[in-house]
Amino acid sequence: MSLSSVERDQIAREFEQNLQESGFTLDELRQQSGLDEDRFMRAFLMSERGSDPVDVWLIRALLETAVKHNGGTFTPITKLNEENRRRAAGWFGIKDRR
């Protein structure tokens, strides 16, 4: 899935909104991700170059879990929705194990 710069900016804003709801600091979220700082920031900021889609989906999942655990309201990530999650899983050959 290719994203425009407008879509990437929107996702970055949605990540930031969810970070506020999560109760995590940016560094705490990075630590939870297990990613090094450069790789994490490329994904969190939705940098045009160098952000791995797997890292972006990881951050989305971590934020959703943290927001729910903190009792907050998860702001949906416009382009990282359930329909696109299923598509991405198919692209990468991931089977739903539920």
Side-chain angles (χ1 to χ4, degrees):
M1 175 171 87
S2 182
L3 299 171
S4 71
S5 62
V6 171
E7 291 168 328
R8 286 191 307 275
D9 290 345
Q10 179 66 33
I11 293 170
R13 285 192 301 276
E14 292 162 347
F15 277 175
E16 183 62 40
Q17 290 170 331
N18 282 304
L19 179 63
Q20 298 300 318
E21 287 285 317
S22 74
F24 279 147
T25 66
L26 188 61
D27 193 54
E28 289 168 335
L29 181 64
R30 185 198 61 76
Q31 289 175 15
Q32 287 290 314
S33 75
L35 301 172
D36 68 47
E37 188 172 352
D38 288 338
R39 187 170 167 179
F40 174 83
M41 291 307 296
R42 282 193 304 272
F44 188 83
L45 297 174
M46 293 298 298
S47 299
E48 184 173 351
R49 297 179 191 265
S51 59
D52 186 327
V54 172
D55 297 345
V56 172
W57 281 94
L58 171 64
I59 290 170
R60 184 218 183 273
L62 289 170
L63 284 168
E64 183 176 20
T65 299
V67 167
K68 289 179 179 178
H69 186 264
N70 197 37
T73 301
F74 181 72
T75 299
I77 310 295
T78 308
K79 287 300 208 176
L80 303 182
N81 55 40
E82 290 306 313
E83 182 178 335
N84 284 336
R85 182 194 308 264
R86 285 189 292 280
R87 286 181 184 151
W91 297 332
F92 295 105
I94 300 167
K95 304 255 190 262
D96 188 355
R97 297 176 197 247
R98 288 184 246 167

